[in-house]
Amino acid sequence: MAGQMNVKHYKAYLLDLDGTIYRGKEPIPEAAAFVKQLKEKRIPYLFITNNSTSLPQEVAVKLQNMGVPCEEEQVLTTSTAAASYITSSKNSPSAYVIGEEGLKEAVDQAGVIEEEDNPDYVIIGMDREITYSKLAAACLAVRNGACFISTNADKALPSERGFLPGNGALTSVISVSTGVDPVFIGKPEKVMMQQAVDILGAAPEEICLVGDNYDTDILAGIRAGMDTLHVDTGVTSREEAAGKSIPPTYAVASLSVWSIV
């Protein structure tokens, strides 16, 4: 269905960020205009990101500075999703946390007690100051019975210098050492997607997920039972997306050719 305009009314939209709304520090103009239309038509939308390092309010400010309408409560990160996941599973949980401010703050706000010795959970997110001692403490805790949680499985992160190790690469050190696979929170897994559905208050079949990366965004929507809209402004090309065994519901060059019904 590549290049077709929308022929269905969706009650809500889930929107990826990097590669869909902006590229690094550069906004994608067509995307900003698209989100403004959603706001004008009062169609609920939620930004979802595998980035665990930023706070939702930081993401909201970044988008606002790019001319994209966004409030803090319209941002769901893997950090906030991970914190919600463990607090919904256990009362007053304790956790050993590897990550940056976004994850540390989300865990703290959720009332999770940070603890290195005998924690209930080990949670790992992207940490650009990772050390052997942090990984060793995590491995010891997992071997001791702590439930192992990882914000996302992204193996590599794009940068100006090329692809750098992502959180999935850091997570693999713990899983290889302990023989324990983590519960992954972010796209394309279902944990964060279910939370997103609950926030939007619509059924999966009434939601359209918009993203550029087939292996995270589009696959997440497919697994969650949503229609998917692939935009050719980021990681996966339209040709690559169309060649997948389950292609996206729609594929467009950019959001400028997508009509909101």
Side-chain angles (χ1 to χ4, degrees), residues 9 11 35-45:
H9 171 72
K11 289 187 177 179
V35 179
K36 287 176 182 177
Q37 287 184 59
L38 291 178
K39 183 178 181 181
E40 290 168 1
K41 292 177 179 288
R42 298 184 178 181
I43 297 174
Y45 57 92

Side-chain angles (χ1 to χ4, degrees), residues 43-104:
I43 297 174
Y45 57 92
L46 181 70
F47 296 100
I48 52 173
T49 175
N50 275 2
N51 185 341
S52 66
T53 62
S54 298
L55 300 168
Q57 55 264 41
E58 293 175 333
V59 175
V61 169
K62 177 177 180 177
L63 290 172
Q64 291 164 9
N65 290 338
M66 291 179 171
V68 178
C70 178
E71 301 299 328
E72 179 182 343
E73 58 270 20
Q74 292 175 299
V75 179
L76 179 62
T77 72
T78 50
S79 292
T80 52
S84 296
Y85 174 78
I86 66 172
T87 52
S88 66
S89 304
K90 184 179 178 66
N91 292 326
S92 302
S94 61
Y96 178 63
V97 183
I98 297 176
E100 298 184 14
E101 183 186 15
L103 182 56
K104 296 274 188 179

